[in-house]
Amino acid sequence: MAEAAVKTKNETAAAGAELELTDGFHLVIDALKLNGLNTIYGVPGIPITDFGRMAQAEGIRVISFRHEQNAGYAASIAGFLTKKPGVCLTVSAPGFLNGLTALAHATTNCFPMILISGSSEREIVDLQQGDYEEMDQLAIAKPLCKAAFRVLHAADIGIGVARAIRAAVSGRPGGVYLDLPAKLFGQVMDAGKGAKSLVKVIDPAPAQIPAPASIKRAIDVLKSAKRPLIILGKGAAYAQADDDIRALVEKSGIPFLPMSMGKGLLPDTHPQCAGAARSTVLASSDVVMLIGARLNWLLSHGKGKAWGTEPKKFIQIDIEPKEMDSNVEIAAPVVGDIGSCVKALLDSMGGKWQAAPEDWIKTVTSKRDENVAKMAPRLMNNNSPMDYHGALGVLRTIIKERPDAILVNEGANTLDLARGIIDMYKPRKRLDVGTWGIMGIGMGYSIAAAIETGKPVLAVEGDSAFGFSGMEVETICRYKLPVCVVIFNNDGIYRGTDVNSVSSDPAPTVFVKGARYDKMMEAFGGVGLNATSPDELKRAVNAAMDSGKPTLINAVIDPAAGSESGRIGNLNPQSALKKK
Ligand SMILES: Cc1ncc(C[n+]2csc(CCOP(=O)(O)OP(=O)(O)O)c2C)c(N)n1
Ligand SMILES: [Mg+2]
């Protein structure tokens, strides 16, 4: 009797010991959850299929895509919207490579993101013995991201995830690669020790306070200005320092120019907004304060024709010291996080601030009003087939009436004209192609925007742009997301009118004429509509936004309406030889 009792006790102990083990799968899940990373965007397969299932079972939202690139773009914009790294999960080699474009994109755009990829057997990969999906992923990822780490032991998962998070969000945010070999997931260890090995990242993006001397210098330069200008970049939108940025702009009385994803920080209809007088303010300003905007190609590198002949002084607020003087001399570099820098500037401005000279304000406002008035009648046309202005005039009103909706936008003409025509009213509501002018962000961004914010999404897509991520309409339908996709269908890239005069092959820029993208949506149970006039478009989009049902509207645009490369045709290389 006594012996039997002892045996039972031993058995219980053995069973207890088993219960107290944990494994790589669960340690990764626990490490993510501990740090508030509760959504994963990815595509399943060996070696991460079970990981996705377990993550879902443990309460993480796992959004399963049709292609890793779209999952990666979703993760990147989730990072922009939340200031927490967006997580993308991929399988080895091909899945990893598909996700890598998005990781590089996140790094270029300064969005925090972590690409977690399963990888094959290290011993076999390193001897190049031809493992299943063999690839030295860590080496390949390194030049394309801010940091790259590999975890080989379950006990290091906590540290690995912590390093990835801190690297992604601290300083200038960017993409981080985390390599998790297949064998790691199955490794077991004592559950108590495992729990202790996890790291909750404390203050992952510490404030970086600007030097007081840099603030004084900036204020002095600003005070010397006769024709000052403020440029708001997407870094300013990322900072979520909306109230202070608005206060700074309003207190200064200086005209502001929002970059594409900086639109809405202050409404585009704000009296100081110089969006519709861009050429004038760039050419004529004498002091330019950049807030979270880089002097890259999107601002003509801060020099040349667009910037006029007047001498300029730049004040630049950026968290990355290396950004200063990257293209032109920066007279007043202010290095720190944007929230802290703007606050310090506001404090230094004191109670009284001399408004910008009246004649400058007048010059800017009259140019702006003139351009807005010139555009207005074009936006009211009801042509069928539609031109860009007629169609965008309708969407402009819809966003005005629904300022909380998120606008996703890609294409060439569809992008450039929508950017100029559709006013934004709130911060971080306009998501687009970003620094690279990349096609393919459309459906990934739409999905993440809907998931992360719960707000309705309006995706305005060129027919070519849409094609890069079009299959994800199935994902939109599967997760029943409130996304309305409007395809500006002009039968091609830029225009649908090119002709190949030498063979029966179509010209490289044209697609199937009269294609009905709306049918794609119907295939997955979503609402598909065809709109041939602005009136029809208006009704269809309003119905979609009211219902919240996944909807795709094929907006028929005149194939001759667009221009080559939209607004950036000047970037096409020209040969001295005459075109054949
Ligand atoms: C990844 C990627 N591939 C190719 C391009 C080149 N590109 C720029 S705009 C564009 C498509 C423009 O056509 P569409 O989206 O239909 O807009 P439209 O001008 O016709 O309105 C392409 C392919 C790109 N920017 N990014
Ligand atoms: Mg097109």
Side-chain angles (χ1 to χ4, degrees), residues 267-495:
D268 284 329
T269 49
H270 191 281
Q272 286 168 255
C273 184
R278 189 178 194 271
S279 319
T280 303
V281 289
L282 289 190
S284 310
S285 53
D286 64 346
V287 168
V288 180
M289 180 155 76
L290 301 154
I291 307 184
R294 294 171 285 184
L295 282 175
N296 57 20
W297 72 279
L298 287 158
L299 283 171
S300 310
H301 305 280
K303 54 196 168 194
K305 216 169 118 200
W307 287 92
T309 48
E310 297 291 309
K312 293 216 195 266
K313 281 189 176 167
F314 288 98
I315 302 164
Q316 184 160 27
I317 303 177
D318 203 288
I319 200 161
E320 174 57 61
K322 290 203 300 281
E323 189 59 44
M324 306 300 156
D325 309 322
S326 60
N327 285 272
V328 295
E329 180 189 281
I330 301 300
V334 181
V335 175
D337 72 275
I338 289 180
S340 301
C341 294
V342 167
K343 181 100 188 32
L345 283 169
L346 255 180
D347 291 347
S348 294
M349 284 167 85
K352 264 203 288 193
W353 181 262
Q354 197 179 334
E358 223 166 275
D359 56 340
W360 170 238
I361 303 294
K362 241 190 223 155
T363 309
V364 178
T365 17
S366 63
K367 189 72 204 166
R368 182 195 66 196
D369 295 347
E370 184 190 318
N371 285 342
V372 168
K374 232 190 275 168
M375 177 94 86
R378 300 185 69 187
L379 301 178
M380 289 177 348
N381 84 64
N382 199 31
N383 295 343
S384 176
M386 294 181 270
D387 59 26
Y388 287 92
H389 288 82
L392 287 167
V394 161
L395 300 182
R396 176 183 202 256
T397 307
I398 288 172
I399 290 292
K400 186 177 180 185
E401 291 165 355
R402 303 170 190 268
D404 279 322
I406 293 184
L407 179 73
V408 172
N409 189 201
E410 61 177 337
N413 293 280
T414 306
L415 175 89
D416 292 342
L417 292 166
R419 183 198 301 117
I421 291 171
I422 302 179
D423 290 328
M424 303 307 296
Y425 300 86
K426 294 191 173 184
R428 294 173 296 283
K429 296 296 185 190
R430 184 185 156 84
L431 310 175
D432 67 26
V433 298
T435 312
W436 270 343
I438 206 163
M439 296 298 114
I441 48 90
M443 297 306 102
Y445 273 23
S446 298
I447 290 166
I451 298 265
E452 300 289 341
T453 70
K455 302 279 191 243
V457 176
L458 176 63
V460 179
E461 301 272 311
D463 53 337
S464 164
F466 172 73
F468 288 70
S469 67
M471 193 62 214
E472 302 297 345
V473 294
E474 188 276 332
T475 312
I476 291 171
C477 290
R478 186 165 18 110
Y479 290 92
K480 301 184 175 61
L481 298 174
V483 175
C484 172
V485 184
V486 177
I487 299 194
F488 275 43
N489 187 358
N490 63 347
D491 295 345
I493 298 173
Y494 315 140
R495 295 162 77 89

Side-chain angles (χ1 to χ4, degrees), residues 180-201:
L180 304 182
K183 265 202 280 192
L184 177 78
F185 290 102
Q187 277 182 31
V188 291
M189 69 180 287
D190 176 82
K193 284 188 186 146
K196 275 199 200 118
S197 74
L198 299 182
V199 176
K200 183 162 168 52
V201 183

Side-chain angles (χ1 to χ4, degrees), residues 158-181:
I159 288 291
V161 170
R163 295 209 75 184
I165 292 171
R166 200 177 277 287
V169 295
S170 62
R172 171 175 281 178
V176 174
Y177 176 59
L178 188 60
D179 191 275
L180 304 182

Side-chain angles (χ1 to χ4, degrees), residues 51-341:
F51 174 76
R53 291 191 184 110
M54 291 178 197
Q56 189 173 52
E58 298 286 337
I60 288 185
R61 194 131 193 234
V62 179
I63 308 297
S64 193
F65 280 68
R66 306 299 294 260
H67 191 291
E68 291 87 353
Q69 192 174 97
N70 305 317
Y73 289 145
S76 75
I77 208 67
F80 171 76
L81 289 168
T82 63
K83 295 185 93 172
K84 288 195 292 191
V87 178
C88 177
L89 178 67
T90 64
V91 303
S92 343
F96 157 78
L97 285 174
N98 285 345
L100 198 56
T101 311
L103 189 69
H105 165 79
T107 307
T108 297
N109 283 274
C110 316
F111 300 157
M113 165 181 171
I114 302 174
L115 174 64
I116 299 180
S117 184
S119 59
S120 305
E121 297 273 340
R122 283 255 46 88
E123 294 81 349
I124 304 179
V125 172
D126 288 348
L127 277 170
Q128 297 174 32
Q129 293 172 313
D131 199 10
Y132 168 71
E133 295 188 344
E134 176 178 298
M135 177 172 279
D136 188 359
Q137 297 170 192
L138 187 70
I140 290 165
K142 255 181 200 164
L144 298 173
C145 57
K146 232 184 123 180
F149 306 102
R150 173 156 50 225
V151 182
L152 292 174
H153 303 293
D156 291 331
I157 286 171
I159 288 291
V161 170
R163 295 209 75 184
I165 292 171
R166 200 177 277 287
V169 295
S170 62
R172 171 175 281 178
V176 174
Y177 176 59
L178 188 60
D179 191 275
L180 304 182
K183 265 202 280 192
L184 177 78
F185 290 102
Q187 277 182 31
V188 291
M189 69 180 287
D190 176 82
K193 284 188 186 146
K196 275 199 200 118
S197 74
L198 299 182
V199 176
K200 183 162 168 52
V201 183
I202 295 162
D203 197 10
Q208 287 181 227
I209 312 291
S214 72
I215 295 295
K216 182 171 181 313
R217 193 183 298 118
I219 293 283
D220 288 346
V221 173
L222 210 52
K223 277 184 179 160
S224 74
K226 298 213 163 43
R227 296 179 306 282
L229 171 67
I230 292 175
I231 298 184
L232 301 170
K234 66 176 174 294
Y238 175 82
Q240 297 193 17
D242 308 336
D243 292 346
D244 280 346
I245 289 172
R246 186 177 182 132
L248 177 73
V249 172
E250 290 185 338
K251 190 169 180 179
S252 74
I254 298 172
F256 70 93
L257 183 67
M259 299 302 287
S260 203
M261 282 175 60
K263 273 164 75 84
L265 264 168
L266 286 86
D268 284 329
T269 49
H270 191 281
Q272 286 168 255
C273 184
R278 189 178 194 271
S279 319
T280 303
V281 289
L282 289 190
S284 310
S285 53
D286 64 346
V287 168
V288 180
M289 180 155 76
L290 301 154
I291 307 184
R294 294 171 285 184
L295 282 175
N296 57 20
W297 72 279
L298 287 158
L299 283 171
S300 310
H301 305 280
K303 54 196 168 194
K305 216 169 118 200
W307 287 92
T309 48
E310 297 291 309
K312 293 216 195 266
K313 281 189 176 167
F314 288 98
I315 302 164
Q316 184 160 27
I317 303 177
D318 203 288
I319 200 161
E320 174 57 61
K322 290 203 300 281
E323 189 59 44
M324 306 300 156
D325 309 322
S326 60
N327 285 272
V328 295
E329 180 189 281
I330 301 300
V334 181
V335 175
D337 72 275
I338 289 180
S340 301
C341 294

